[in-house]
Amino acid sequence: MLLANRNNNLFDTFFNDDWFTNPWFDGRKASEAYHQMMRTDVQEDEKGYQLEMELPGYTKDEISATLEDGYMTITAEKKNESEDHKDKNYIRKERYYGKCQRTFYVGTEVEENDIHAGFQHGILTIQIPKKEPKPQVEQQRYIQIEG
């Protein structure tokens, strides 16, 4: 029997760990696969930038965006709902549970109120306006001379 394996189970033959970690099956490295989960298109026009990020399978409540020191971080987190499936006998579960995130530099001039985001049909759309850097006014500082 050509397809027999350790338990003579054809399902195990197809879904064994070696099959899914084999570079022939999926040649991407883990870091490349990580970014495939949050594929992002960035468009620019005269007013600003628009990001469109694919987040299939997530709900709006599982996604957050933060802004700190000019960096915008998008985080998507899916929690394992094992409580709902205690009575089921899974042979294999391949759905992703965990957290992934990407960070983009948007500039220190941009504030959270300037950024507008929407989520529909698994696509997160973010509008970021272009802001000119505020010129820093040089302050004249006096050095006290003692004597």
Side-chain angles (χ1 to χ4, degrees):
M1 191 147 114
L2 185 61
L3 293 176
N5 73 349
R6 55 192 157 188
N7 295 323
N8 290 331
N9 183 332
L10 294 177
F11 193 83
D12 285 343
T13 301
F14 184 74
F15 288 106
N16 70 52
D17 290 335
D18 294 337
W19 176 264
F20 283 99
T21 58
N22 186 325
W24 175 82
F25 182 79
D26 186 1
R28 295 175 294 172
K29 296 179 183 173
S31 62
E32 292 170 352
Y34 176 76
H35 282 297
Q36 292 298 318
M37 294 173 60
M38 300 181 83
R39 289 186 227 174
T40 305
D41 295 335
V42 181
Q43 301 173 24
E44 178 183 14
D45 63 21
E46 64 278 350
K47 295 179 183 178
Y49 304 93
Q50 177 174 307
L51 278 71
E52 290 183 351
M53 180 179 288
E54 289 182 358
L55 293 167
Y58 287 94
T59 64
K60 184 182 100 168
D61 296 334
E62 296 170 327
I63 301 167
S64 67
T66 59
L67 182 65
E68 185 177 345
D69 297 328
Y71 290 92
M72 180 181 64
T73 300
I74 310 300
T75 304
E77 183 171 13
K78 187 161 281 291
K79 298 188 175 164
N80 189 352
E81 300 172 7
S82 61
E83 298 295 323
D84 296 341
H85 305 291
K86 282 187 176 181
D87 59 335
K88 297 181 181 178
N89 184 22
Y90 285 98
I91 297 171
R92 183 174 187 95
K93 288 186 78 172
E94 295 185 354
R95 296 188 184 185
Y96 176 80
Y97 294 100
K99 181 165 87 170
C100 54
Q101 68 182 27
R102 290 203 54 193
T103 300
F104 301 90
Y105 184 75
V106 296
T108 55
E109 298 79 25
V110 177
E111 297 180 10
E112 59 271 1
N113 295 336
D114 299 328
I115 300 173
H116 300 285
F119 185 71
Q120 192 172 22
H121 304 296
I123 304 291
L124 176 65
T125 304
I126 302 173
Q127 301 283 339
I128 305 166
K130 288 183 180 178
K131 292 261 185 152
E132 293 295 323
K134 297 177 186 174
Q136 292 185 353
V137 178
E138 191 170 319
Q139 294 178 334
Q140 191 173 22
R141 299 182 182 181
Y142 294 99
I143 299 172
Q144 186 172 355
I145 302 173
E146 297 179 20

